[in-house]
Amino acid sequence: MSTTSLWEYANPVKFMRLSGRVLPWFAGAAAVTLVAGLVWGFFFTPDDFRQGSTVKIIFLHVPAALVAINAWIMMLVASLIWLIRRHHVSALAAKAAAPIGAVMTVIGLFTGAVWGQPMWGTWWAWDPRLTAFLILFLFYLGYIALWSAIEDADTAADLTAVLCLVGTVFAVLSRYAAFFWSQGLHQGASLSLAPGTRMDWAYKAPLYVCMTGFSLLFIALLLAGTRTEIRARRSRALMVRERMYA
Amino acid sequence: MDLTVTDLTVARGGVPILEGVGFALAPGAALVLRGPNGCGKTTLLRTLAGLQPALSGDISCPPEAIAYAGHADGLKAVLTVAENLEFWAAIHGTHGIDAALSAMNLNDLTDRQAQNLSAGQKRRLGLARLMVTGRPFWLLDEPTVSLDTASVALFGAVVRAHLATGGAALMASHIDLGLSEAAVLDLAPYRAAPRLPQGFDEAFA
Amino acid sequence: MIALLARDLKLAFRAGGGFGLGLGFFLILAVLVPLGVGPEPRTLALIAPGILWVGALLASLLSLDRIFALDFEDGSLDLLATAPIPLEGVVAIKALAHWITTGLPLVVAAPVLGVLLNLAPAAYGWLIVSLLIGTPALSVIGAFGAALTVGLKRGGLLLSLLVLPLYIPTLIYGAEVVIRGAVGLPVATPLLFLAGITAGSAALLPFAAALALRVNLR
């Protein structure tokens, strides 16, 4: 088997080489797309006839929420890859994704509160969508805490991967439980693939640009974070060796 | 069935500490592992017991045939001597703890709670546990810690009796156990060579 | 397996086993809440189902770190892992022992504390039923969390941070059963969800917990 497969990039050396080369491009593309999308969204879209200019926070709120959820999905996939194929890069990528996802969750919750205040007259409501997001944040916290509590790197990778798997199931259960528990104020999903979506293209186009920008930002941060984790792991391994064979 | 170990590499904290370990232990034989502190005796025993994976190499005998006794005896402080022993007998599906009790001279202590035993008595109870597992291969990590001379002799007799019934024992110990027939394996030659990092991969784990 | 269950129960009931601590905590919580909220019976009746369920949750959380930590410290866990019973079975049995010593007393005590909190008469039956069905899930999920943190020096606080989010679905459906029962609404849907979570947790989590234990032992 001499074909080049995707798994080769699970090798730390190859990953470092490739990621070092593409990282500036992703970072640059993220910056350009975000500036373009946000400027377009904030200054070149009409006010909503009902919600006024407050609606424009959607250009931060929705992309952040999108990344917050997809970061967890990415962690789930990376955890599975680690458990099944034992590629260290994969485990470290999951570790690097968690803080990014947690921050995005906070951004989503914060922008939601800022938006909710003028719209619903309250900063916080126990709306199922909000609640589910708050719960997602708790899961991020637990995951990050477990990573930082365990010293041995492989043990930490194994245990956090198991937690991620079980946590995913319970996060999904919690989401449905939250929807069962309270019917909310929140509007339905902002974007839908089904025909007859409610949003005008004047909003949708810049929103898509912003979502692309946030996704690119996530990839750039993820690459940078994973590179940092790999370097930290490597320096630790070198120190252990030095101690053992001194 | 022999316990044959071929070209075994074991790691502690992801770093190989013993490599190329090989020996064979036939029924009726005893082997004493020697080596300085931290050379990997405990890691080797835990690997053989199936508690941690080997980096490479073969172990011919399944963990189901092995009874492991580590530094801790696994005793419950509020259970009596008999209750502690009966529990392990039940877990291993064997019956009768009397032989084990008298072999380790614990007959007078059966109703005493484990928390009221001296360190040496606890150790004797921990070793009596091996007898109720009914497993042929005993892995013992520093079995004679806190035992007095008489108890060491007692322990030697128990191991000899186990060997006579077709069992085998692998012991890590610094002191002479009075088992003249036991072979000795010095682990120093198997110490894993320092692997100087040559590339990113090598320095990774 | 039976021997393990018998041993764990014996250890819990003997001196120093910690049996009753969770129950005492549950009682104190049910006393503190009215002191904090005020004696108004209508308010208390309104929040009683939630308080009782949150109390049960926290009370069962208290003793979780003992499930594996004690056996880990004295070496029993190593020996159990090399014993002829599967580690998944060990987890299930230990979760069962935890439920018998913590969850079951809570079920029995909850109606008494319901009186303190002025719980609606119609809700008592559903309180017992929901706790009876829901608390086993708390023990199994807790055993999973305890398995994750067993090797850690200060695992207790981390354990709550890991386990409490996992308790959310159980809490929501469990309290919902009591809330609906109190006002005479049909309870079948949340009760079925609650039973589903318990059954699913009991069937699958021992495997995840055993995996985590093996990782922690190596």
Side-chain angles (χ1 to χ4, degrees):
Chain A
M1 294 281 275
S2 63
T3 49
T4 316
S5 87
L6 190 63
W7 297 115
E8 288 203 6
Y9 296 107
N11 172 307
V13 188
K14 288 210 168 128
F15 176 83
M16 287 304 274
R17 203 181 302 143
L18 180 79
S19 63
R21 221 177 302 146
V22 301
L23 178 56
W25 293 98
F26 272 104
V32 170
T33 325
L34 274 179
V35 169
L38 290 176
V39 169
W40 183 3
F42 285 155
F43 302 110
F44 298 97
T45 50
D47 284 357
D48 187 76
F49 74 96
R50 258 185 325 118
Q51 306 196 8
S53 60
T54 52
V55 74
K56 292 182 179 179
I57 204 165
I58 198 176
F59 298 113
L60 288 174
H61 180 70
V62 172
L66 173 92
V67 172
I69 293 172
N70 283 309
W72 186 278
I73 296 174
M74 179 253 145
M75 278 159 54
L76 172 66
V77 174
S79 299
L80 279 172
I81 294 175
W82 161 250
L83 283 180
I84 297 166
R85 301 198 55 142
R86 318 258 348 139
H87 292 309
H88 286 93
V89 172
S90 169
L92 295 177
K95 183 184 184 184
I100 309 172
V103 170
M104 288 296 178
T105 315
V106 172
I107 294 177
L109 286 169
F110 179 76
T111 52
V114 172
W115 191 4
Q117 216 292 322
M119 293 323 302
W120 307 331
T122 172
W123 294 101
W124 179 258
W126 287 95
D127 163 272
R129 257 171 223 280
L130 300 187
T131 311
F133 247 76
L134 193 58
I135 293 170
L136 179 64
F137 181 63
L138 297 180
F139 277 95
Y140 272 122
L141 277 191
Y143 180 84
I144 295 170
L146 189 62
W147 259 112
S148 60
I150 303 169
E151 262 177 50
D152 183 76
D154 278 1
T155 307
D158 278 333
L159 295 180
T160 51
V162 175
L163 177 68
C164 185
L165 255 59
V166 173
T168 304
V169 174
F170 277 85
V172 171
L173 282 177
S174 301
R175 184 198 176 271
Y176 284 103
F179 274 74
F180 175 83
W181 166 72
S182 147
Q183 323 296 329
L185 305 161
H186 201 288
Q187 52 190 293
S190 298
L191 288 173
S192 154
L193 294 176
T197 39
R198 299 168 309 281
M199 199 182 287
D200 191 81
W201 265 107
Y203 283 109
K204 234 196 272 183
L207 183 55
Y208 280 133
V209 177
C210 285
M211 283 161 65
T212 313
F214 265 78
S215 305
L216 287 169
L217 176 68
F218 172 69
I219 294 172
L221 288 174
L222 179 65
L223 287 177
T226 310
R227 286 169 65 81
T228 311
E229 294 294 345
I230 289 176
R231 288 200 171 111
R233 177 75 193 267
R234 183 177 182 227
S235 67
R236 238 166 73 169
L238 287 173
M239 277 189 311
V240 167
R241 251 157 232 254
E242 226 165 60
R243 266 207 308 279
M244 281 201 71
Y245 302 124
Chain B
M1 181 174 52
D2 286 11
L3 170 59
T4 311
V5 171
T6 341
D7 203 16
L8 191 72
T9 304
V10 298
R12 185 172 53 210
V15 183
I17 49 171
L18 290 171
E19 60 186 351
V21 179
F23 60 83
L25 190 61
L31 182 63
V32 177
L33 299 175
R34 290 212 197 275
N37 291 111
C39 77
K41 297 189 291 290
T42 298
T43 308
L44 176 60
L45 289 179
R46 288 181 69 86
T47 306
L48 295 177
L51 284 168
Q52 62 179 74
L55 279 192
S56 63
D58 277 323
I59 303 166
S60 71
C61 134
E64 286 75 36
I66 290 173
Y68 167 75
H71 293 288
D73 293 315
L75 304 177
K76 287 296 169 192
V78 295
L79 297 186
T80 65
V81 169
E83 281 173 332
N84 268 305
L85 214 48
E86 267 159 8
F87 167 67
W88 289 113
I91 287 290
H92 286 271
T94 57
H95 300 285
I97 58 166
D98 296 337
L101 282 174
S102 43
M104 288 317 289
N105 194 19
L106 291 163
N107 277 325
D108 301 336
L109 303 168
T110 47
D111 292 328
R112 194 182 292 190
Q113 290 195 339
Q115 58 191 350
N116 300 326
L117 296 178
S118 75
Q121 289 166 334
K122 277 185 193 160
R123 195 69 206 173
R124 262 150 58 199
L125 176 53
L127 295 172
R129 185 191 63 85
L130 286 169
M131 302 184 66
V132 301
T133 59
R135 290 181 168 182
F137 291 99
W138 288 1
L139 302 191
L140 303 155
D141 198 354
E142 303 289 353
T144 52
V145 169
S146 56
L147 291 186
D148 57 21
T149 340
S151 299
V152 171
L154 214 57
F155 168 69
V158 166
V159 172
R160 207 166 271 139
H162 180 60
L163 301 183
T165 56
L170 181 63
M171 293 165 282
S173 182
H174 293 293
I175 67 157
D176 188 21
L177 298 168
L179 287 163
S180 48
E181 67 270 42
V184 171
L185 180 70
D186 187 6
L187 286 178
Y190 299 109
R191 190 178 175 205
R195 295 174 191 196
L196 290 175
Q198 281 145 9
F200 206 99
D201 254 356
E202 287 75 16
F204 196 64
Chain C
M1 300 277 248
I2 308 268
L4 181 60
L5 181 64
R7 181 194 73 149
D8 270 22
L9 292 180
K10 222 185 270 178
L11 288 174
F13 290 125
R14 289 216 176 144
F19 175 74
L21 280 183
L23 207 54
F25 177 83
F26 196 31
L27 171 69
I28 290 176
L29 197 78
V31 173
L32 288 184
V33 167
L35 292 178
V37 173
E40 171 61 35
R42 290 239 313 280
T43 316
L44 286 178
L46 211 57
I47 61 171
I51 298 299
L52 289 170
W53 254 95
V54 170
L57 213 90
L58 296 176
S60 74
L61 186 72
L62 268 186
S63 46
L64 282 184
D65 60 337
R66 303 175 67 96
I67 296 186
F68 297 115
L70 298 180
D71 279 347
F72 182 75
E73 282 158 18
D74 67 19
S76 308
L77 203 55
D78 279 345
L79 304 180
L80 281 172
T82 57
I85 54 175
L87 205 51
E88 289 80 4
V90 172
V91 173
I93 290 293
K94 286 190 151 283
L96 177 63
H98 178 264
W99 181 72
I100 292 175
T101 53
T102 311
L104 201 54
L106 293 180
V107 177
V108 177
V112 182
L113 304 186
V115 175
L116 289 179
L117 292 168
N118 194 34
L119 186 69
Y124 282 92
W126 294 120
L127 177 67
I128 295 173
V129 169
S130 70
L131 283 174
L132 206 55
I133 294 178
T135 44
L138 301 182
S139 290
V140 180
I141 296 168
F144 167 68
L148 280 181
T149 55
V150 70
L152 299 173
K153 287 193 183 57
R154 275 175 295 280
L157 198 59
L158 179 65
L159 178 61
S160 356
L161 191 59
L162 297 183
V163 163
L164 283 177
L166 300 177
Y167 278 174
I168 290 171
T170 313
L171 170 68
I172 290 180
Y173 292 123
E176 190 72 18
V177 169
V178 187
I179 292 169
R180 291 188 176 201
V183 292
L185 285 171
V187 298
T189 316
L191 204 55
L192 281 176
F193 278 122
L194 188 64
I197 288 170
T198 301
S201 303
L204 298 177
L205 280 183
F207 293 93
L211 180 60
L213 280 181
R214 278 193 200 100
V215 170
N216 269 324
L217 286 179
R218 74 177 181 220

